[in-house]
Amino acid sequence: MDEVRKRAELARSNLHDLLLAEGLVEEEALLQVLSGVSGIPFRRISECAVSPEAVAAVPVRAALHYTLAPVAIEGDRVVLATSRVPDADASQSLLAILNRSVDWILCSRHD
């Protein structure tokens, strides 16, 4: 693992991307591990009922910038799907942009 971490640093890439690009781990397996560590549920986006209200609530630029997909509106919260564990800055920025709290789910980029 140290060797992979060093290669990621040399390539100026992150560990997540390098593990996937080199086929060292399947994306779904990585996301399930990240789900367990982060507490963000892993779901297949194909199993989610995407609501038109959620799609309308998220500006396209925000979805593209943060690499996310709107899924649902649940009360005063919006559920967003992403293939990475979001950082606190992204969550705070989206709170300001959407004027709603955010709940996350992890899903495959290719789902």
Side-chain angles (χ1 to χ4, degrees):
M1 193 61 156
D2 286 337
E3 179 186 328
V4 174
R5 199 173 284 126
K6 287 177 188 175
R7 287 198 331 251
E9 288 175 16
L10 288 172
R12 295 186 180 186
S13 180
N14 62 49
L15 188 57
H16 181 115
D17 291 337
L18 187 67
L19 288 170
L20 296 176
E22 294 194 6
L24 299 172
V25 65
E26 293 292 323
E27 184 179 27
E28 188 170 317
L30 178 59
L31 290 171
Q32 288 176 346
V33 169
L34 292 173
S35 174
V37 171
S38 69
I40 299 172
F42 170 77
R43 298 204 356 227
R44 289 183 179 78
I45 195 77
S46 59
E47 296 172 357
C48 297
V50 176
S51 83
E53 294 83 13
V55 173
V58 179
V60 173
R61 292 184 103 168
L64 294 172
H65 179 76
Y66 293 102
T67 317
L68 59 85
V71 176
I73 301 288
E74 296 178 352
D76 64 343
R77 306 178 76 75
V78 62
V79 178
L80 302 175
T82 185
S83 62
R84 301 177 165 277
V85 174
D87 60 28
D89 290 338
S91 292
Q92 285 300 106
S93 294
L94 286 162
L95 174 65
I97 292 167
L98 304 175
N99 199 28
R100 292 175 184 266
S101 295
V102 174
D103 287 336
W104 294 99
I105 60 172
L106 293 173
C107 65
S108 166
R109 295 172 295 165
H110 305 290
D111 190 20

